[in-house]
Amino acid sequence: MLMSTHEARLAALREELKRRGLDGFIVPISDEHMSEYVGDYAQRLGWLTGFGGSAGFACVTLTHAAIFVDGRYTVQVREQVDGNLFEYRSVPKDTLGGWLAEVAESGATIAYDPWLHTWAWVEALEKRLAAKGIVLVPAVGNPVDAVWADRPAPSPALAVPHDEALAGRSSADKRAAIADWLAAEGHDAVVIPALDSVAWLLNIRGSDVAHTPVALSYVIAHKDGSAELFIAPEKVTPELTRHLGNAVTIRDRDAFEGALASAFAGKSVALDPDFAVVGIAQALRAGGARFAFKQDPTILAKAIKNAAEQAGHRDAQARDGAAVAKFLRWLEIEGPKGTVDELGAAARLAAFRAEDAGLKDLSFDTISAAAGHAALPHYKVDADSNIAVPPSSIYLVDSGGQYADQHGGGTTDITRTVWVGPGAPTQEMRDRNTRVLKGHIQLARAVFPQGTCGAQLDVLARQYLWEAGVDYAHGTGHGVGSFLAVHEGPQRIAKPSGGQAGTGTELHAGMILSNEPGYYKQGHYGIRIENLVLVEEREIAGAEGRYLGFETLTFVPLDRKLIEKGLLTAGEIAWVDGYHAEVRALLAPRLAGEELAWLERETAPL
């Protein structure tokens, strides 16, 4: 009997493990930069298993195999991965260490790729396995790559300068701040592997990762303000070289590991524990360097947007809002006909965005979710899952764009939930949507003292859902980049976890976050209302200390058909009417004819 594609791949990997004298291997969704989204060349888990989600990992032994995903992908993993080949395991309930303790014998040697995992991850797993006599070892070369015959090459796309007028700050100034930090912390250099941190520090952009404008590269920043950029030579142009200047040395990306092992003997190097993989630490140690784990010094600076970045973002939001408004009007007309499917809707929204010449890319794969699919917060439509948008149902669309030109630049992320006619939504749908809206409003109106972190605000968005005995299982807000990553740390609005207040990062004026509470009725419908907000200073007469609040940045009408006005207070009604007045003022100059008439109708006072 012929083997299936993934059965043959699994068999080939096991043969490679036998050849190397290994008893097992761990396969994550990861790259050498610990990126959230990875290039095709690093999609090892998808190649081996068929899984298309953005988070998860597998472990293969000579006799067993399992794939581990969280609750977002419970349905998807069963649709895409053959259960005869891989056991389905759910995290955090199931752990890799616990599974290996069940299936591997004492003395077994389990390998991992040291360029795809962090030090803390390896240390924790080593400790767990040691109790069972199982040995964890770094692989020399990835065994999956050895059997992946048609593995794509890393993207050859050029790295390009990012206009200083959009960045609002020169690379030299940023590097000087890093030098000051190194001096204060007592280090000679810091290794920066996170792709968006490299892009921010050097004011460069690229197109090596889908939807995130970054270039595959590393930076070593030194205490004298100079830096080394490790990047494939074919990605470098004379324009880039001029932009970087004499203080930035350009070196071949392949020379990175050797530089770590040869240039820092007796010196102290800082590494971010979340982004510096084991391979980096091992190379430094082999060369006689000392290293210390500290947060990448670009991360907080990158999160606090300067005036130019804020202005660019507002410009991007106006363009994006007009495109989404056009789409929602189109859907109102076409949706009730029953001829629109999820892929077609996503394509139509992308076409409206593409009417703007400043659009460089989407900021992530559009979540275009009809009926029961809308109850999956991280649903990703493809040819196999695609369904028609049923008339008389809820449709949820979570999408965004990457904009950059001479007028401005920014990264957008918006979710709107709408009723597709004919008829009217049920009372329960209106109730749930209005409770989500009430929570959204309370967070948008929040005023809080400096020093507050996101976990202290999270309850504001959930309180009205909790009153009805329901909740949602995702965070309420994530950071957003400036023509960079749509998910950017360190700030976050979420429930406290692990005994700490979310990430514990306090919110600072200039940070951009999402405000996106939701509700999901499994198998039936889902609701999410997402705008982006900017943390800003608040002047309060007689205030004792500094206070902050949020400026709303996203302007697109809310679906009035899903609002139960009787559940709103007078203040909440005033907020909706005020918000819609701002939507109308911002978008009206960008729309005309029937689209403008639609906007005026949808933004009329409640």
Side-chain angles (χ1 to χ4, degrees), residues 32 34 112-123 138 271 275-285 291 293:
E32 314 90 296
M34 299 307 294
Y112 67 94
D113 186 333
W115 290 90
L116 301 180
H117 300 279
T118 64
W119 189 276
W121 179 91
V122 171
E123 207 169 47
L271 302 177
F275 296 100
V277 295
V278 173
I280 291 174
Q282 288 176 337
L284 286 168
R285 175 174 283 178
F291 60 84
F293 289 117

Side-chain angles (χ1 to χ4, degrees), residues 332-394:
E332 182 182 273
I333 295 167
E334 299 298 325
K337 299 175 183 177
T339 56
V340 176
D341 61 22
E342 293 168 330
L343 282 175
R348 195 71 189 90
L349 176 53
F352 280 121
R353 280 195 168 101
E355 291 176 4
D356 190 304
L359 182 78
K360 302 302 182 187
D361 196 354
L362 302 182
S363 56
F364 57 97
D365 289 323
T366 297
I367 298 173
S368 175
H373 285 165
L376 304 171
H378 298 269
Y379 172 69
K380 182 179 177 181
V381 61
D382 59 25
D384 294 327
S385 68
N386 184 39
I387 62 170
V389 179
S392 305
S393 71
I394 275 177

